[in-house]
């Protein structure tokens, strides 16, 4: 379901690895664009556990202003998982936000494990199609792998842009509209859909934050790029125990994951914020110089 439990790190190829790309990535890049309308920001630290045992940590920063967004992440294997695997990764994305609709612009990921270095980069053209795709090392062709076509790379989200949930309209952002959607995701190698549906509201708390989250149930569907007959893919497609808790970014109609829970064959993988800060800075009006006018 998720390609990585941490960005680019696949310990024991655990099923559930691909949804963590939607939640465990994070970091610090300044947002571009006009600051005139004010800026919204999230800074968070997450812990990743499997069957209650810590296996990783991640940091997450999101910057949003009037018409652009930036989200970046870094993560690493920690705890007892270091006995069997070493790894760390960093991912980031930029894009535009117009009328409460996200349009991704670029995505990059770098990850290192004991025996593998992975780099993925791509952008999007004005029509929303992936361009300039670079994957190092190049995936080896296999006769049982379902080919990703150009059609599969149109009107998609990258894994980092998919962590932002824009809610249109003027009503409460903590409601069914936050959940009821399909996320068509391309991660540079595979194409898959995440179908979210509203489950309930819940109270969440971490250092620096407490509030109400909307809880979405998630269903995974492999579309292309995967090997046919893979048991872990079949498991995730039949998995009815995947949920994400979303909380609002202050001063915006965008929500981000606070907690993700994914059932796997060896226990539940949970990615949960341990510290979480969201703030909004109002734009400052231009002050005219003496004897002049503001422009």
């Amino acid at each position: 379901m998720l390609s990585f439990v941490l960005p680019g790190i696949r310990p024991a190829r655990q099923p559930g690895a691909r949804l963590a790309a939607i939640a465990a990535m994070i970091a610090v890049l300044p947002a571009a664009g006009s600051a005139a309308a004010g800026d919204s920001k999230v800074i968070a630290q997450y812990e990743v556990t499997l069957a209650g045992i810590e296996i990783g940590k991640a940091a997450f920063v999101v910057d949003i202003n009037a018409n652009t967004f930036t989200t970046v992440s870094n993560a690493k294997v920690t705890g007892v998982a270091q006995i069997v695997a070493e790894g760390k990764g960093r991912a980031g994305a930029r894009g535009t936000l117009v009328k409460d609709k996200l349009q991704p612009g670029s995505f990059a990921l770098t990850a290192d494990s004991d025996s593998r270095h992975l780099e993925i980069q791509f952008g999007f053209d004005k029509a929303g199609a992936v361009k300039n795709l670079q994957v190092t090392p190049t995936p080896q062709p296999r006769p049982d792998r379902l080919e990703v076509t150009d059609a599969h790379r149109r009107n998609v989200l990258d894994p980092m842009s998919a962590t932002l949930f824009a809610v249109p309209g003027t009503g409460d952002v903590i409601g069914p509209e936050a959940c009821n959607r399909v996320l068509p995701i391309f991660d540079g190698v595979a194409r898959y859909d995440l179908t979210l549906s509203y489950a309930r509201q819940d109270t969440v708390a971490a250092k620096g934050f407490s509030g109400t989250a909307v809880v979405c149930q998630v269903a995974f569907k492999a579309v292309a790029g995967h090997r046919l007959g893979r048991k872990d893919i079949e498991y995730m497609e039949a998995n009815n125990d995947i949920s994400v808790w979303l909380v609002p970014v202050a001063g915006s109609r965008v929500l981000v994951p606070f907690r993700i829970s994914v059932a796997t064959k060896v226990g539940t993988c949970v990615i949960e914020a341990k510290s979480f800060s969201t703030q909004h800075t109002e734009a400052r009006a231009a002050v005219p110089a003496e004897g002049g006018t503001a422009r």
Side-chain angles (χ1 to χ4, degrees), residues 5-6 46-50 53-58 75-81 270:
V5 170
L6 298 176
Y46 293 77
E47 180 181 79
V48 185
T49 60
L50 181 63
I53 300 172
E54 181 185 313
I55 62 170
K57 291 185 181 296
K76 64 179 180 178
V77 170
T78 63
V80 297
V270 176

Side-chain angles (χ1 to χ4, degrees), residues 27 102 167 234 251 270:
L102 293 167
V167 181
E234 294 174 359
V270 176

Side-chain angles (χ1 to χ4, degrees), residues 52-184:
I53 300 172
E54 181 185 313
I55 62 170
K57 291 185 181 296
F60 185 51
V61 174
V62 178
D63 277 303
I64 300 171
N65 66 28
N67 53 17
T68 67
F69 69 87
T70 304
T71 176
V72 191
S73 74
N74 53 58
K76 64 179 180 178
V77 170
T78 63
V80 297
Q82 292 176 302
I83 298 173
V84 295
E86 290 283 348
K88 59 183 179 180
R90 180 178 175 91
R94 291 180 182 272
T96 59
L97 181 60
V98 180
K99 294 182 179 179
D100 299 320
K101 183 177 180 180
L102 293 167
Q103 177 58 55
S106 61
F107 170 78
L109 178 147
T110 301
D112 291 282
S113 62
D114 292 334
S115 59
R116 189 182 188 199
H117 176 76
L118 174 66
E119 292 186 18
I120 297 174
Q121 297 181 51
F122 56 86
F124 293 85
D125 64 21
K126 292 182 179 179
V130 171
K131 65 177 184 179
N132 301 328
L133 173 63
Q134 299 180 39
V135 180
T136 306
T138 303
Q140 296 299 312
R142 294 178 180 269
D144 61 346
R145 189 184 301 279
L146 190 60
E147 180 184 3
V148 178
T149 67
D150 288 342
H152 291 137
R153 292 189 283 263
R154 297 191 189 106
N155 299 314
V156 294
L157 297 169
D158 62 80
M160 288 300 296
S161 297
T163 64
L164 306 182
F165 292 73
V167 181
T170 58
D172 188 359
V173 295
I174 304 293
E177 293 80 6
C179 294
N180 297 334
R181 66 185 70 200
V182 177
L183 304 178

